[in-house]
Each structure stands twice: as structure tokens, then as C-alpha cells.
Amino acid sequence: MENTIVQLSKYVITFLMICFTVQSFAALKERDEDERHYILMRQIIMIILMNFICFFVMFLQEGEVSTIQMFLLTMAYILGVQILYRLIYRKASMILVNNMCMLLSIGFVILTRLDMKKAVKQFIIVAGALAIALLIPFLIEKIRFLKKLKWIYALIGILALSVVLILGQTTYGSKLSYSIGGVTFQPSEFVKILFVFFVASALYEASGFLEVFTTAVVAAAHVIVLVISKDLGSALIFFVVYVLMVYVSTKNPLYVAAGAGGGAAAAYLAFKVFRHVQVRVQAWKDPWSVIDSAGYQITQSLFAISSGGFFGLGLYKGTPESIPTVEADFIFSAIAEELGILFAVCLILICVSCFIMFMNISIRLNDRFYQLIAFGFGVTYIFQVFLTIGGVTKFIPSTGVTLPLISYGGSSVASTLIIFAVMQGIFIIAYKEDDEDEEEQSNKKNESNQPK
């Protein structure tokens, strides 16, 4: 009976995930407010049902009371986020809120399955980050001098990365984090937020050669510190975000060409200088030849993804524990193995939906500063998703970055929640700009209809 429930649950979970994904894209193009409201309500029901089924199946398999407790905590968080955003920010993007809740739910489910202690720790960090995230949209909307803090963003960012370089803990050959009072931080996750603010504040007024050159020097300082720390995944994200933000600001394709050439040269140099890069490239090119050493992680990832099939093996029916650091860098493989390829593809599409929403917000804005920030965060988010999933599927060499909102990692999930909160604040600004434009057009129309 238990096995029958597990097997049937796979199809129901996949069906709910597909429906949620379809609704995410439907909500993006829906213009009618009432219909969009119904779509969003249906999505919330799907999130609740999917979580209930997943946690119920895990409880049947393990019989642990802590599984029920984790389900109740997850539901309290999801419903709390929904209620608080609707009470505090009535003009917030509930599409983004729903997508964020679904991605967090998937993270809680798979972390509960892999390691309950880590799932609880992740929940505590996410709950704490909510308090900060709920304040950020208000600050973004009200504080208007953020665009004037260019050098403060740069100074704090470079100093924070430099502290890791000097005092950081070495993990898998890279200096990624340091501890304060027993709490471990990965500053690069938060500095990327400051970095986007820095580039936007440097280029929003003017984007001539002098501004681009000055910004490039500071951007290079960030990247160089990350490279010396051997945090090459973060360095790549910073570099790509900078190049694309410069292109959007200047509309000059030569900057993209120069960035591509410089990036290729830097990648070749990194391959020659850093031994762990050579190991990762070898594992990417032919993992089977080094399956007992450098290729073990990626081969186990490929085995897991291929064994899952369209609907997955079912929760607790796979062996994701065989993949080293599966709860962080390779969590996508665990999802594909036990929840299925269709579920994993829908997860990617939800991430794409978030990216499209970021870009839509950017396009709607009149304020150049916030327009660049929205674009920068969109690129930051989707490129990190690409690096993570590309690495675990052997599409590109593994870079060691996490899957936003899903992978285990306090700094990663907290920084992503902050990014989503900033985007909510910018969305509210865009919403008000639309209202002001409509009012201005209405006034002009009334004036033109006045008898002369």
C-alpha cells in the first residue's frame, strides 16, 4: 500500500508542477486583473497540495514526526508571505511572490529528504531573511539617494571580498566564506547585490568611454579579488553581469565583443594557472576516465538524472546521497532523480518566468537607475541558474555555485530573497510610474477636449 501511494504520488506531483508552471506564464500575459487574481489563487492551492503530498510521502517512508513539523513550518511560512505581502504591499508583484514560494517549497522538500538538520537550518535563515525582505520594498520606494552612493557600494564590496581573501576559510581549494560568532557568511553572495547597484549608479546618467572605463577598473578589482580567492564561479557572474549592463547602458556591441575576448583570455589563463580548474575541465571533458576521482561527482549526477525518467523514482526511492555536496551544488540532480525530468524542466521554466518578470519590470521603468538594477538582477539570477544546472548536467564545467532559493546555503538563499525584495520595490515604482503616465495622458486628453 505504501509503495502504491509513493508511485501514484509521482504523477500527481508532476501534474501539479506542470499546472503551476503553465499558470506562471499565463499570469505574465494576462491583462485582466480579475482573471490574474484567479490564476494566482490557483497557484497557491497547487503549492499547498504539492507540499502536502511530498511531506506526506516522506512521512510514510520515514515515520518521523519532524517531517510533519517541517511541513507545518513550510506552510506557515508560505501562507505568512502571501498574507504579509498582500497586507503591506498591495501593489507588489504576486507572480514573483508565488514563484518565490514555489522554489522555496521545492528547496524545503528536497532538503528535508536529504538532511533534516540542514533543512531546519535553512528554514531559520529564510524566516529571518523575511523580516529584512519585507522592509526592503518600502526602502527602495522611499529612499531616493541610492543612486548617489556609487563609491560606497564599490568600497564596501571590495573590502568585504578582501576580508575573505585574508581571513576566509578554504573550501575545496577556494576561499569562499568566513565566520563571525560561529555564523558563516559568504560575502560574494551579498556583494553581487552591491555590485549591481554600483554599476547602475555609475552608468545611469552618462555612459561614455570615461564612465565605462572607470566602472571597468572597479569591476576588475572585484573580479581580481575573487580570482585570487579562487572563487571563480562568482568571478564569472560578476564579469558577465558587468559586460551586459554596460551593453544595455551604451548600446555599443563593441563592449560585448571586447568582454567576450577578454573573458576567453581570462578563462584560458585560469585554466593554466589553477590546478582545480584543470581538474574540473578534465571531469567535464571525460568524467568516465577519472570516475574514481575528479569525475566521480559529475558521473553520479548524470546517473541520478538519467535514472529518474520522466516522473522520477519517487521520494526516498533514489540514492542522491551518493553525490558529494548534493544538497548544495548538485541539488538539481537529486530533484531530477526522485521527482523526475518533467518536474526538473518545469523548475527551470519557473526560473525563466522569474527572469522574464525581471526583464518586464526593467522595460516598464522610466527611471534609468532602477531600469539598470532590474536588468542587472535579472542577468545575475538567470546566469547563476544556468551555471548550476549546466554544471550538473555536464553542459559546462562545474563552477560550484548554488541553485537560487533551492540549494542549501544561508548566504545564497538570503541574498536571493533580498534580490526578489528589491525587485518588488522596483515593481512598485514601475506601477506608480504607469499610474502617473495614465493620469498625465488623461489630463492632456481632457485639456484637448476643452472648448477654446
Side-chain angles (χ1 to χ4, degrees), residues 382-397:
I382 202 64
F383 189 60
Q384 185 166 337
V385 171
F386 167 75
L387 289 179
T388 306
I389 297 176
V392 303
T393 56
K394 197 182 164 295
F395 185 75
I396 58 173

Side-chain angles (χ1 to χ4, degrees), residues 179-379:
S179 298
I180 300 176
V183 180
T184 301
F185 296 90
Q186 187 173 342
S188 62
E189 292 288 348
F190 299 100
V191 173
K192 67 187 178 187
I193 299 173
L194 294 175
F195 183 75
V196 169
F197 271 86
F198 162 73
V199 178
S201 61
L203 299 177
Y204 82 97
E205 284 185 317
S207 53
F209 178 78
L210 180 60
E211 289 79 15
V212 172
F213 177 77
T214 305
T215 311
V217 171
V218 179
H222 284 79
V223 173
I224 289 170
V225 174
L226 287 167
V227 170
I228 296 174
S229 301
K230 298 183 181 179
D231 186 0
L232 302 184
S234 295
L236 183 58
I237 293 173
F238 278 61
F239 176 77
V240 169
V241 168
Y242 169 73
V243 170
L244 292 181
M245 287 184 72
V246 167
Y247 171 69
V248 166
S249 179
T250 63
K251 304 296 190 295
N252 188 343
L254 291 178
Y255 288 122
V256 177
Y268 179 77
L269 183 62
F271 174 75
K272 289 295 185 180
V273 172
F274 297 115
R275 172 60 185 162
H276 74 286
V277 175
Q278 296 171 11
V279 170
R280 288 185 178 183
V281 171
Q282 172 61 30
W284 167 66
K285 289 173 61 178
D286 186 10
W288 316 106
S289 65
V290 286
I291 191 171
D292 292 329
S293 54
Y296 180 79
Q297 192 175 38
I298 184 63
T299 53
Q300 293 303 310
S301 171
L302 295 175
F303 287 143
I305 294 171
S306 62
S307 66
F310 285 114
F311 297 97
L313 299 176
L315 289 165
Y316 282 99
K317 295 300 182 181
T319 56
E321 302 90 346
S322 63
I323 308 172
T325 66
V326 64
E327 72 281 350
D329 304 353
F330 282 75
I331 200 166
F332 182 81
S333 306
I335 292 169
E337 180 180 21
E338 297 201 339
L339 297 175
I341 296 295
L342 291 176
F343 187 99
V345 169
C346 287
L347 186 156
I348 296 172
L349 291 174
I350 293 172
C351 294
V352 171
S353 172
C354 292
F355 170 71
I356 292 172
M357 191 65 195
F358 282 24
M359 294 298 105
N360 284 346
I361 295 171
S362 178
I363 292 170
R364 285 175 56 184
L365 285 158
N366 297 322
D367 191 306
R368 187 66 170 163
F369 173 69
Y370 293 112
Q371 188 181 68
L372 285 172
I373 288 177
F375 176 82
F377 281 151
V379 173

Side-chain angles (χ1 to χ4, degrees), residues 146-158:
L146 292 173
K147 60 185 69 175
K148 305 298 183 182
L149 305 177
K150 174 174 63 175
W151 298 115
I152 294 177
Y153 300 137
L155 181 62
I156 294 175
I158 293 173

Side-chain angles (χ1 to χ4, degrees), residues 104 111 118 120-129 177 183-187 189-190 327-328 402-403 405-418:
L104 284 170
L111 286 175
K118 289 183 177 179
V120 172
K121 187 176 180 181
Q122 183 94 330
F123 178 84
I124 292 171
I125 293 170
V126 168
S177 60
V183 180
T184 301
F185 296 90
Q186 187 173 342
E189 292 288 348
F190 299 100
E327 72 281 350
T402 54
L403 189 57
L405 296 178
I406 298 175
S407 292
Y408 174 71
S411 297
S412 174
V413 72
S415 65
T416 307
L417 287 172
I418 290 172

